[in-house]
Amino acid sequence: ADPNLDWAGAWARRFGAHDPQKAGDTVLLFAGAGHRAKQWPLSRFLDISGCIKEAGYSPLFVLGPAELDRSMDKELAHKAEQQEFTIQMVHSETLAQVSSLLLTARAVLGNDCGPMHLAGMFGVPGLVLFGPTGADQWGPRGMKVVSAPLACRPCTSTTARIPCEEPECMAAIASDGVWEALEPLLRIPSP
């Protein structure tokens, strides 16, 4: 193969790659997305956060500027308090901060969003949730995908024209199916 076409190798040499031997017990949760319609319900992320804790790992919600602008930190804290649940959150302002978190993470779980693509580029084991957009077109490199088997999805080839304000395709993704797909990624080191 032409080394000039080895973009994954070039990325790893320039920015680093996930090393399973250096991965801690932190599982990063990216509950936001560029479009609200691509977000899985926060209560489900909290459900999975509990499963992660019970399995002996440390869930960490990573919130960027868009999530803070939408007050997702307050909403997450409120929902966690209602469930008498303690969560950990970090506010990530820069790409360097997100990259640092990703390189030492055990695994990642998130919506179809930029940080999940970055995780895929680093080779972090992960699970991405897809609803209105198609994983075949937009899926991050190397990530497992979970989506609801609804006839109406994917309903858009871009995020510019998502017809539903609260898509059933995101609400129909069950917590138990997500945990079933995520849990093996925590136990088995990535290749």
Side-chain angles (χ1 to χ4, degrees):
D2 183 348
N4 294 325
L5 300 178
D6 179 20
W7 60 267
W11 174 274
R13 287 187 297 278
R14 174 76 167 99
F15 301 108
H18 184 261
D19 181 351
Q21 303 304 317
K22 294 180 182 175
D25 68 348
T26 302
V27 179
L28 303 178
L29 303 170
F30 294 97
H35 194 294
R36 287 180 188 261
K38 297 189 327 179
Q39 293 180 178
W40 198 41
L42 288 179
S43 60
R44 307 263 177 87
F45 271 104
L46 288 170
D47 292 343
I48 297 301
S49 175
C51 294
I52 292 167
K53 279 184 183 179
E54 287 177 21
Y57 300 97
S58 301
L60 177 64
F61 285 89
V62 182
L63 306 177
E67 288 77 33
L68 296 178
D69 286 347
R70 295 177 186 163
S71 299
M72 187 179 279
D73 54 339
K74 292 174 180 69
E75 188 178 351
L76 262 172
H78 178 71
K79 287 182 181 297
E81 183 180 305
Q82 286 179 323
Q83 296 179 15
E84 298 180 6
F85 199 77
T86 303
I87 60 169
Q88 297 296 317
M89 282 187 272
V90 64
H91 302 150
S92 177
E93 295 291 326
T94 68
L95 190 56
Q97 290 171 328
V98 175
S99 296
S100 179
L101 289 168
L102 289 169
L103 287 169
T104 59
R106 180 77 176 176
V108 294
L109 168 65
N111 298 308
D112 171 20
C113 64
M116 294 301 288
H117 287 276
L118 187 59
M121 294 293 293
F122 281 126
V124 182
L127 180 67
V128 63
L129 308 171
F130 269 84
T133 55
D136 290 343
Q137 180 180 7
W138 298 108
R141 176 181 182 262
M143 294 278 159
K144 287 179 77 171
V145 172
V146 171
S147 58
L150 300 179
C152 61
R153 74 151 307 277
C155 62
T156 183
S157 60
T158 70
T159 57
R161 294 184 194 97
I162 297 175
C164 305
E165 282 190 37
E166 294 185 33
E168 180 62 28
C169 56
M170 292 306 290
I173 299 173
S175 296
D176 57 348
V178 170
W179 177 243
E180 187 177 300
L182 179 65
E183 194 266 338
L185 299 177
L186 307 179
R187 289 185 286 114
I188 302 169
S190 60

